[in-house]
Amino acid sequence: MEKDGSLLDEYVLSLTDSARPRVCFLPTASGDADHYVVRFYRRFSPGCEASHLSLFRRDQGTGGVEDDFATHLLAQDLIYVGGGNVVSMLGAWRAHGLDVILRKAWRKGVILCGPSAGSLCWFAEALSAFHGAPRTVQGLGLLPYSNCVHYDAEPARREEYHRFVGDGMRPGFAAEDGVALHFRATRLAAAVSSRPDGRAFRVKPSRHGVIERPLHVSYLGAAATAGSPAAHGTVPAACARKAVASESVGSEPVAA
């Protein structure tokens, strides 16, 4: 649901290997904001069996899930987590048991993805700067690393992430806006970008300070121009995007 295109969405949908995939949106991090839910349906309804799960309000409208969260989520091809406040989101998930359900979905092979908070949540640790100074957040731990998003859009995050990793935070991955990290189980399978110049990094401590190693990032626009389909797979995804906070995960998590 990027402002200027849909290359990352198309990439994640290609991983389902389904002509009309079942996609459920979790807008928890935004407090189930109406505008975010509307944007999701505009983007995904034409080609998907789209639905959303609200924890902060009771939705009687088309596609809203009122109860039996587990049955619904475990039947999806793709679970898309929106951006916003990752701390509030994780607290709400744990209160409603969604942390356990999402772990089951991941083990089952449901693709998990999302931008910003929707990326940070899948990792063991993450750097969050929502409403305040950067801080460490304990995520769901599906991916045994740390994660930092908006690496170029918010320059202070890079400095703080290096500081936290140097002080004992787990080694991990950082992504600029428009870049998605694609994991199969817990192994990084690819880094892809909706921008020609998008970058991602592996960040870890060393005896001489924190090391930032650039990752190979594939520009999705090049594949689209050549008519090549996106790679298929089972992946956790975490993504970082500009207009929409970004991140993701699953049997294939995708973090943006």
Side-chain angles (χ1 to χ4, degrees), residues 21-43:
R22 293 161 294 181
V23 182
C24 185
F25 181 46
L26 272 59
T28 318
S30 66
D32 298 333
D34 291 334
H35 67 87
Y36 208 171
V37 175
V38 169
R39 191 158 77 245
F40 164 77
Y41 279 105
R42 284 178 178 168
R43 169 63 185 88

Side-chain angles (χ1 to χ4, degrees), residues 29 47 55 59 85 99 104 109-110 123 164 177 187 196 227-228 240 252:
L55 296 181
D59 288 324
N85 190 328
D99 55 334
K104 289 180 179 178
V110 177
F123 292 82
F164 277 111
D177 287 351
R187 182 177 180 181
S228 303
E252 297 192 29

Side-chain angles (χ1 to χ4, degrees), residues 4 11 29 34 38 60-61 72 106 136 152 162 206 255:
D4 300 321
Y11 177 81
D34 291 334
V38 169
Q60 302 292 343
H72 184 76
W106 180 66
T136 302
D152 57 336
H162 280 218
S206 74

Side-chain angles (χ1 to χ4, degrees), residues 43-234:
R43 169 63 185 88
F44 287 95
S45 290
C48 305
E49 295 298 330
S51 62
H52 74 283
L53 189 158
S54 174
L55 296 181
F56 292 102
R57 59 188 74 185
R58 294 183 65 82
D59 288 324
Q60 302 292 343
T62 302
V65 180
E66 288 292 324
D67 46 34
D68 200 356
F69 297 157
T71 297
H72 184 76
L73 291 176
L74 292 175
Q76 301 303 300
D77 297 303
L78 171 66
I79 295 173
Y80 191 122
V81 177
N85 190 328
V86 67
V87 176
S88 297
M89 179 180 75
L90 290 169
W93 281 1
R94 286 163 178 149
H96 290 270
L98 259 69
D99 55 334
V100 176
I101 296 171
L102 289 170
R103 181 173 290 277
K104 289 180 179 178
W106 180 66
R107 288 174 174 165
K108 184 180 178 183
V110 177
I111 296 169
L112 310 176
C113 76
S116 198
S119 175
L120 301 177
C121 63
W122 312 117
F123 292 82
E125 294 182 276
L127 183 70
S128 174
F130 195 92
H131 287 335
R135 57 177 289 192
T136 302
V137 175
Q138 301 298 313
L140 298 182
L142 304 184
L143 300 175
Y145 318 104
S146 61
N147 182 222
C148 180
V149 297
H150 308 310
Y151 210 51
D152 57 336
E154 301 174 18
R157 290 214 188 198
R158 178 178 181 273
E159 180 180 344
E160 290 298 311
Y161 187 44
H162 280 218
R163 181 172 68 84
F164 277 111
V165 170
D167 288 343
M169 176 186 264
R170 290 173 183 243
F173 297 88
E176 295 184 346
D177 287 351
V179 178
L181 304 169
H182 175 173
F183 293 85
R184 284 192 176 92
T186 60
R187 182 177 180 181
L188 183 68
V192 298
S193 176
S194 62
R195 297 164 37 197
D197 57 348
R199 300 182 300 168
F201 304 88
R202 184 77 164 94
V203 180
K204 60 183 181 179
S206 74
R207 290 180 298 174
H208 307 292
V210 174
I211 297 174
E212 178 182 88
R213 179 173 62 84
L215 300 174
H216 173 73
V217 178
S218 298
Y219 173 47
L220 295 173
T225 301
S228 303
H232 287 77
T234 300

